[in-house]
Amino acid sequence: MAKIAYILLCHKDPEAIVQQAQRLTAAGDVLAIHFDARADAEQYRSIRAALADNPNVTFVRRRVKCGWGEWSLVQATLNALEAAVEAFPRATHFYMLSGDCMAIKTAEYAHRFLDARDVDYIESFDFFDSNWIKTGMKDDRLIYRHYFNERTQKALFYRAYRLQKRLGLTRPIPADLQMQIGSQWWCLRRRTVEWILDMTRKRRDIMRFFRTTWIPDETFFQTLVRHLVPDDEIETRTLTFLMFSDYGMPVTFYNDHYDLLLSQDFLFARKISPEAHELKARLGALYAATDVAFELSNEGQNLYRFLAGRGRIGRRFGTRFWEAESTLGRERELMIVICKKWHVAKRLLARIRQVTNLPAIEYLFNEESTPLPDLGGIQGTLEKRTRHRRALMRMLFEYYETDRLIICLDPANLDLLQDFESDRSVTRLLEIECQFSDDFLIGHARRVGLAGERTSAATLERLLPTIRNDIAHETDRVRDAGFSHHHRIRETASAAANAEHIAAFLTVPPDTALELAKTEHLFAD
C-alpha cells in the first residue's frame, strides 16, 4: 500500500502547521517540514517542540530564506525531499504541500488512488508551445539570468534584465532538456524523486541554469520528470484542487465550500482561508475517517467561472473590423427566435418549416452539431461562426437563395442580438417565455457543467436560486436593450394571444399563426 511522505513548505501560523502534521501522520503517513528561514525563529522553535515526539515528522537540516519566483523555493523543496528520503525509507510517494492546503479525501481514499496507477502526477506542458503562461514574461524567464527578486528588488530586477537584452547576453538552454512548465503542486514516486536528487548531484550545468531562471518552481521538477520518466508513466495533472481568479490570484475556500471540495476529483485543496475554522475542523476530521464514499461531480472550475462571471457583464463600444465591413443586406429579414429552453424553440422551428417553408436553422451559435451546409470552413466551429457572424449569415442567405431566414439564439447571446439589430437588414425577434421547474434547472446545470450526476442535494438547493435569477437576468437584459420588432409569446398565454405575436414576427396570416401557436406539446419538457 502507498505510504505518502508529505513535503510541507510553510512560513507562518505554527499552530496550524502542528495541527496539519498531527492529522496527516495520525493516518500512518509521514511529513518533512521546511519552515522559511526568513520567518520568526521563535515560531520555528515552537513547531519543533510540539512535534518533537512524533516519529513520523522530520525537519529540514538546512533551512532556506525563500522568495517568490526565486530558486530558493526549489532549493527548499530539494532539501525537504532529501530529508524525507533519508528519514522515511518506506515512503512510496512524495506529495508537495503548502501550509494553506488541506486534504479533501480520506487517507484511505488517497492510498487506494495512488495504488491504482504506477505513475507520477505532475503538470508538465511544453514551455514554448503550450499556453500555460497567460501574461508577462515567457521565453525571457529562461534565456536571461535573473539574480534579483522582482517583488522585493523590482528596480534591480528590471535594470539587470534590460541591460542583458540591450547587450544581447542571452544563454542557451541545456541541449538535452525539453523545457516544461506546470503547477508546483505534484505527487512523485520514490524512484522518480531519487532520480531527480541523483541528477542534481551529477548535472551541475542544469543546476547552474535553473538557479538563475525566473519562477523555476514552475519549470524545474516539471522538466526533470519529463526528462527522466517515460511519458506513459506521467499523468499530466495535479492532485491539488486550486483555482485562480481573472487577476491571477488563488481562489480562497471558506466554510460553505465543504460539499463542493469533497465532490472534486482531487486529494487536496488550496487555499483554505485561515478564518474558515469550521471547514478546517471538518476536513481535519475527514482525513482519518474510514469507509467514506465520495460522489465526484467535478464541477468546481465551471461553477466558479459561472458565478464569478455574473458580476462582469460589460458591453463593447466599437465594432469589430469584420462587422464594420459587412452587412446582411438592406432588403433581407433575419428572424431570431430567443428561448432558454432549446427544445421548445426547436419544436416551434420545425413546425414553422412545415407550415411556411421558410429556411430555419437552430442554435448555430450555441451548438457545434447544428446541421449547416458546407460554406468553405467558416461554419466549422462555434468560434469561427461567432467571429465571422455577419459573413456567415450572408452566406446562408445566399445558399438558401432567400431574403428571409430564421435562426435560434440563447438569451445569453445579447452581443449577437445587438450586432444583428444594428445591421442594415430588418431584424425581428420572437422571445419565447417559458416556466422553469427545479428539474429543468437541475438538468440545465448538469448540461453546462455547473453540476454533475452526483452533485449533492444541498449544493443543488443553494445553486438553483442563483441559476433561476441568472436566467431572469438574461431575459431582462434582452428586454431592456429596447430592440425594435421584439415580440413575445408566453407559456401561460392562450394560443390566440400567442398567435398575434407569431403573425407579427413572421408576417403571416392570422390563421397560419394560430396553427403555429397550437403546435402540439410546444412547451412540454
Side-chain angles (χ1 to χ4, degrees):
M1 177 182 284
K3 186 180 184 70
I4 307 170
Y6 290 105
I7 307 301
L8 179 61
L9 266 56
C10 46
H11 65 280
K12 61 180 180 180
D13 202 350
E15 183 180 346
I17 292 168
V18 170
Q19 291 174 354
Q20 188 179 35
Q22 291 170 339
R23 284 192 297 264
L24 295 176
T25 57
D29 291 312
V30 294
L31 183 71
I33 297 177
H34 179 280
F35 193 73
D36 194 339
R38 294 184 192 274
D40 184 85
E42 184 56 39
Q43 290 186 349
Y44 179 57
R45 283 192 288 271
S46 70
I47 296 170
R48 294 209 63 145
L51 298 173
D53 296 330
N54 190 329
N56 290 329
V57 176
T58 190
F59 290 86
V60 172
R61 289 196 185 93
R62 185 171 62 86
R63 294 188 297 141
V64 178
K65 293 181 179 180
C66 295
W68 186 89
E70 293 181 6
W71 167 256
S72 54
L73 287 174
V74 177
Q75 188 62 62
T77 306
L78 290 172
N79 292 352
L81 285 173
E82 288 176 344
V85 167
E86 180 181 341
F88 309 120
R90 298 184 62 186
T92 61
H93 294 76
F94 296 77
Y95 195 119
M96 182 76 175
L97 287 179
S98 77
D100 297 321
C101 299
M102 287 199 72
I104 56 174
K105 299 291 185 294
T106 62
E108 183 180 67
Y109 180 99
H111 295 154
R112 283 202 307 265
F113 184 94
L114 295 177
D115 283 335
R117 296 187 63 200
D118 186 22
V119 296
D120 296 305
Y121 293 92
I122 183 170
E123 284 190 353
S124 54
F125 303 101
D126 187 278
F127 185 95
F128 300 102
D129 293 339
S130 71
N131 193 33
W132 201 87
I133 298 175
K134 303 298 183 186
T135 59
M137 193 181 290
K138 186 174 180 179
D139 296 15
D140 290 359
R141 289 189 186 192
L142 307 178
I143 63 174
Y144 296 108
R145 297 167 180 83
H146 302 279
Y147 299 102
F148 304 102
N149 187 292
E150 192 266 349
R151 291 190 172 181
T152 61
Q153 301 166 295
K154 188 179 290 288
L156 289 172
F157 179 91
Y158 285 106
R159 193 178 304 163
Y161 169 55
R162 287 192 291 267
L163 179 63
Q164 292 178 78
K165 289 192 75 172
R166 189 162 61 248
L167 298 176
L169 299 178
T170 59
R171 60 173 178 174
I173 296 168
D176 58 335
L177 293 186
Q178 181 181 357
M179 293 301 298
Q180 303 287 306
I181 192 165
S183 167
Q184 64 268 50
W185 310 110
W186 38 253
C187 178
L188 304 178
R189 296 167 297 173
R190 185 182 192 91
R191 182 186 64 179
T192 303
V193 167
E194 289 173 344
W195 283 348
I196 290 173
L197 293 176
D198 185 58
M199 193 171 187
T200 63
R201 290 185 284 267
K202 293 179 178 178
R203 293 291 302 272
R204 309 315 298 173
D205 60 321
I206 289 178
M207 299 298 281
R208 283 193 301 271
F209 174 79
F210 279 105
R211 279 196 180 99
T212 52
T213 60
W214 181 232
I215 320 182
D217 54 319
E218 294 179 351
T219 55
F220 179 80
F221 291 99
Q222 296 77 0
T223 300
L224 265 58
V225 169
R226 187 67 68 175
H227 181 77
L228 295 167
V229 179
D231 286 352
D232 60 357
E233 294 183 27
I234 300 173
E235 182 72 20
T236 308
R237 60 163 294 191
T238 175
L239 298 181
T240 298
F241 179 58
L242 69 162
M243 297 188 293
F244 290 90
S245 72
D246 292 349
Y247 308 102
M249 300 301 293
V251 173
T252 302
F253 299 108
Y254 297 92
N255 289 332
D256 56 349
H257 288 129
Y258 180 79
D259 291 331
L260 171 73
L261 293 177
L262 263 60
S263 66
Q264 306 311 304
D265 187 19
F266 296 87
L267 303 184
F268 280 75
R270 183 179 187 274
K271 299 170 101 176
I272 309 299
S273 169
E275 287 77 38
H277 302 297
E278 179 187 344
L279 177 62
K280 286 187 171 185
R282 296 178 74 184
L283 292 178
L286 175 71
Y287 191 69
T290 57
D291 299 323
V292 178
F294 294 94
E295 301 291 338
L296 302 181
S297 54
N298 222 31
E299 77 280 16
Q301 298 279 359
N302 290 335
L303 187 57
Y304 174 76
R305 282 194 294 269
F306 165 70
L307 294 174
R310 294 177 72 243
R312 303 196 182 108
I313 299 168
R315 298 185 183 183
R316 53 183 172 79
F317 296 95
T319 56
R320 309 301 196 219
F321 72 89
W322 58 84
E323 298 165 349
E325 293 174 351
S326 60
T327 177
L328 306 189
R330 292 182 185 275
E331 73 285 358
R332 287 173 171 160
E333 288 185 32
L334 177 61
M335 293 168 281
I336 305 175
V337 176
I338 311 164
C339 187
K340 197 67 181 180
K341 287 188 176 181
W342 293 4
H343 59 280
V344 173
K346 291 178 181 180
R347 207 171 283 149
L348 179 61
L349 242 66
R351 188 65 179 142
I352 289 173
R353 277 193 292 259
Q354 290 176 352
V355 173
T356 68
N357 205 32
L358 284 170
I361 304 171
E362 296 170 356
Y363 288 86
L364 74 164
F365 294 105
N366 302 103
E367 287 187 305
E368 201 152 297
S369 58
T370 299
L372 289 170
D374 185 358
L375 302 173
I378 195 175
Q379 83 292 343
T381 65
L382 288 177
E383 182 185 8
K384 284 185 178 180
R385 296 175 199 172
T386 304
R387 187 166 66 244
H388 305 296
R389 64 195 73 156
R390 292 196 186 187
L392 173 67
M393 296 310 303
R394 196 169 61 249
M395 294 170 76
L396 287 170
F397 274 109
E398 292 168 359
Y399 177 85
Y400 288 108
E401 298 180 348
T402 182
D403 288 333
R404 307 185 75 210
L405 181 66
I406 308 173
I407 66 170
C408 290
L409 281 180
D410 189 281
N413 298 129
L414 180 62
D415 58 337
L416 293 179
L417 291 171
Q418 290 174 319
D419 187 42
F420 290 135
E421 169 75 8
S422 67
D423 190 76
R424 296 171 188 167
S425 61
V426 176
T427 303
R428 302 181 189 276
L429 309 182
L430 179 67
E431 178 188 340
I432 305 179
E433 184 182 292
C434 300
Q435 302 296 302
F436 299 101
S437 65
D438 286 352
D439 287 341
F440 172 82
L441 293 178
I442 290 171
H444 173 72
R446 288 172 176 159
R447 283 190 295 275
V448 299
L450 299 179
E453 292 296 329
R454 299 179 178 178
T455 299
S456 69
T459 300
L460 289 172
E461 185 178 350
R462 291 197 299 270
L463 184 60
L464 288 186
T466 303
I467 297 176
R468 191 181 298 278
N469 290 338
D470 197 66
I471 291 174
H473 177 63
E474 290 175 356
T475 301
D476 287 342
R477 290 174 68 211
V478 172
R479 295 176 185 176
D480 291 343
F483 295 115
S484 56
H485 309 299
H486 184 175
H487 309 281
R488 186 181 309 122
I489 65 174
R490 298 177 173 87
E491 183 174 353
T492 55
S494 66
N498 285 338
E500 292 182 22
H501 294 282
I502 293 174
F505 171 68
L506 293 174
T507 59
V508 295
D511 56 338
T512 302
L514 184 61
E515 183 181 353
L516 293 170
K518 290 182 176 180
T519 298
E520 191 174 4
H521 308 302
L522 176 59
F523 293 98
D525 285 338

